[in-house]
Amino acid sequence: MPVMTDFDLRDLPQRELADGEVRIANRWLSVDPYMRGRMNDVKSYVPPFQLDAPMDGGAVGEVIESKAADLPVGTRVQHMAGWRDEAIVPAKGVNKLPDIDLPEQAFLGALGLTGMTAWFGLLAVAEAKAGDTVFVSAAAGAVGSVVVQIAKAKGMTVIGSAGGAEKVEWVRSLGADHVIDYKGDVPLVKALGAAALDGIDVYFDNVGGDHLDAALAHANQGARFAICGMIDGYNASQPTSLRYLMRVIAARIRIQGFIVSDFMGRIAEFQQGMGEIVAGGNFQREETVVEGLENMPDAFLGLFSGQNKGKMLVKL
Ligand code: NDP
């Protein structure tokens, strides 16, 4: 687990903009579990953070100075130069916020990469369809809570898992048919068996470890597993062993990992589909907000002890 002394808040000197760049006052910053992986000096799908250089990540803010004709001062934008209050970014690294009547931070959550992860992981990777029984772990988290709601909107039976009574209640209020408190007394594999009497057709994995093992134990023939994340292992020093892994063979389970960036070419499809669900009026867009740049490491570390309901955000 990272510690506070791994982080440092530093003032850097201002610099002039070059042609094609904009200066952005950030208003909302995203903290995400994948950032933990970037703290390991290993090759992965995103490069590791560099020591003594600013961290980065998703952010939403407003252009306050511009040398890019199509991004005038006042434009509200989403970009990847987070973990700072002010950013200089080339125009090509910036997305204008769409003209939708939602708070701007929604574009770091349900209407942004978080929502896209849920949408494509469930519908494209796991090929979930009406009538399927879907199990989703970290169901009270940013991605998980959107998965629950998409699955319900599309006629699936949903089993979620979350840590603690309050989160369990909240996931139920999102429409989940059964919710397991994985921190409760009943072992997860037993609790899932009791919730999924007819087995599961889809597992949306945010956690790995015991959750993945329990899903293997109760998977139906031809079940599809979308492996989105394995937060249980991000700070672990020991690999987990899976007791039920061999069920992959007998039950012909298809296990597919994915990265949301695989679906960047299909943003329009996501915006259309998710827009319809949000416009339906029942969608719960929950967020946990920590105030102040200096508290960003706290917000980030809080992801690993379940401090958030819905999307964890930092407000400046
Ligand atoms: P969340 O909002 O879900 O935050 C993390 C949550 O995970 C916590 O609130 C906590 O909830 C739960 N958690 C933390 N540690 C454990 C543990 N050891 N065992 C079980 N649950 C735990 O984060 P996101 O929605 O942003 O991300 C969810 C997952 O999706 C992550 O694994 C992330 O890496 C992955 N991801 C993958 C993407 C991709 O492209 N493949 C894109 C975005 C996210 P609780 O209180 O219930 O324990």
Side-chain angles (χ1 to χ4, degrees), residues 1 30-35 45 113-114 116-118 137-145 161-164 167 180-183 204-208 211 227-235 257-262 302-312:
M1 182 67 93
S30 182
V31 285
D32 301 87
Y34 80 89
M35 292 166 173
Y45 61 94
L113 291 178
T114 296
M116 271 184 76
T117 305
S137 50
V143 172
S145 60
S161 75
K167 286 191 178 183
I180 296 168
D181 180 356
Y182 76 92
K183 291 182 176 165
F204 192 107
D205 193 12
N206 288 315
V207 170
H211 276 81
I227 308 295
C228 173
M230 294 193 171
I231 196 167
D232 185 49
Y234 295 175
N235 294 298
F258 73 100
I259 302 291
V260 61
S261 54
D262 302 343
L303 293 168
F304 302 101
S305 55
Q307 300 301 305
N308 61 309
K309 229 163 70 180
K311 177 77 186 122
M312 181 75 106

Side-chain angles (χ1 to χ4, degrees), residues 6-73:
D6 294 330
F7 301 86
D8 198 10
L9 183 61
R10 296 205 189 150
D11 280 318
L12 300 181
Q14 295 262 18
R15 75 159 170 84
E16 302 277 305
L17 295 187
D19 277 345
E21 287 183 335
V22 289
R23 192 185 309 277
I24 299 165
N26 283 336
R27 283 204 287 252
W28 293 93
L29 303 171
S30 182
V31 285
D32 301 87
Y34 80 89
M35 292 166 173
R36 175 63 186 84
R38 297 187 66 191
M39 298 175 86
N40 297 335
D41 195 12
V42 294
K43 209 171 157 195
S44 185
Y45 61 94
V46 263
F49 292 125
Q50 296 300 304
L51 291 177
D52 285 312
M55 295 168 77
D56 52 32
V60 157
E62 182 175 328
V63 174
I64 53 170
E65 188 187 346
S66 176
K67 285 203 169 180
D70 55 342
L71 290 172
V73 169

Side-chain angles (χ1 to χ4, degrees), residues 219-262:
N220 288 333
Q221 283 288 322
R224 290 91 62 206
F225 284 27
I227 308 295
C228 173
M230 294 193 171
I231 196 167
D232 185 49
Y234 295 175
N235 294 298
S237 47
Q238 297 290 325
T240 40
S241 63
L242 298 176
R243 188 167 166 202
Y244 295 100
L245 186 57
M246 270 210 271
R247 290 210 70 246
V248 168
I249 306 164
R252 285 86 164 168
I253 298 167
R254 179 163 66 73
I255 300 182
Q256 171 82 57
F258 73 100
I259 302 291
V260 61
S261 54
D262 302 343

Side-chain angles (χ1 to χ4, degrees), residues 19-287:
D19 277 345
E21 287 183 335
V22 289
R23 192 185 309 277
I24 299 165
N26 283 336
R27 283 204 287 252
W28 293 93
L29 303 171
S30 182
V31 285
D32 301 87
Y34 80 89
M35 292 166 173
R36 175 63 186 84
R38 297 187 66 191
M39 298 175 86
N40 297 335
D41 195 12
V42 294
K43 209 171 157 195
S44 185
Y45 61 94
V46 263
F49 292 125
Q50 296 300 304
L51 291 177
D52 285 312
M55 295 168 77
D56 52 32
V60 157
E62 182 175 328
V63 174
I64 53 170
E65 188 187 346
S66 176
K67 285 203 169 180
D70 55 342
L71 290 172
V73 169
T75 312
R76 296 190 310 160
V77 293
Q78 179 270 326
H79 60 99
M80 291 306 291
W83 287 88
R84 67 198 79 184
D85 54 3
E86 197 175 290
I88 294 178
V89 187
K92 66 174 165 36
V94 168
N95 301 308
K96 286 187 204 179
L97 295 191
D99 199 11
I100 298 178
D101 187 21
L102 278 174
E104 59 193 10
Q105 71 272 24
F107 296 95
L108 293 175
L111 271 295
L113 291 178
T114 296
M116 271 184 76
T117 305
W119 182 270
F120 289 113
L122 183 69
L123 302 177
V125 180
E127 296 178 347
K129 54 188 187 317
D132 280 345
T133 296
V134 176
F135 174 43
V136 51
S137 50
V143 172
S145 60
V146 180
V147 171
V148 169
Q149 296 183 81
I150 297 171
K152 285 316 297 175
K154 297 205 172 276
M156 302 165 200
T157 298
V158 177
I159 303 167
S161 75
E166 194 205 332
K167 286 191 178 183
V168 165
E169 221 25 71
W170 182 60
V171 175
R172 215 169 264 138
S173 80
L174 300 178
D177 300 272
H178 303 274
V179 191
I180 296 168
D181 180 356
Y182 76 92
K183 291 182 176 165
D185 295 334
V186 184
L188 187 58
V189 69
K190 267 190 133 175
L192 182 59
L197 293 176
D198 295 324
I200 61 167
D201 305 302
V202 166
Y203 175 45
F204 192 107
D205 193 12
N206 288 315
V207 170
D210 289 350
H211 276 81
L212 175 57
D213 216 19
L216 287 164
H218 297 292
N220 288 333
Q221 283 288 322
R224 290 91 62 206
F225 284 27
I227 308 295
C228 173
M230 294 193 171
I231 196 167
D232 185 49
Y234 295 175
N235 294 298
S237 47
Q238 297 290 325
T240 40
S241 63
L242 298 176
R243 188 167 166 202
Y244 295 100
L245 186 57
M246 270 210 271
R247 290 210 70 246
V248 168
I249 306 164
R252 285 86 164 168
I253 298 167
R254 179 163 66 73
I255 300 182
Q256 171 82 57
F258 73 100
I259 302 291
V260 61
S261 54
D262 302 343
F263 296 96
M264 283 308 166
R266 293 170 64 178
I267 286 184
E269 185 187 325
F270 159 70
Q271 286 175 338
Q272 162 93 27
M274 199 66 202
E276 281 167 18
I277 290 178
V278 173
N282 294 324
F283 187 80
Q284 288 193 48
R285 201 183 49 77
E286 181 75 21
E287 54 203 28

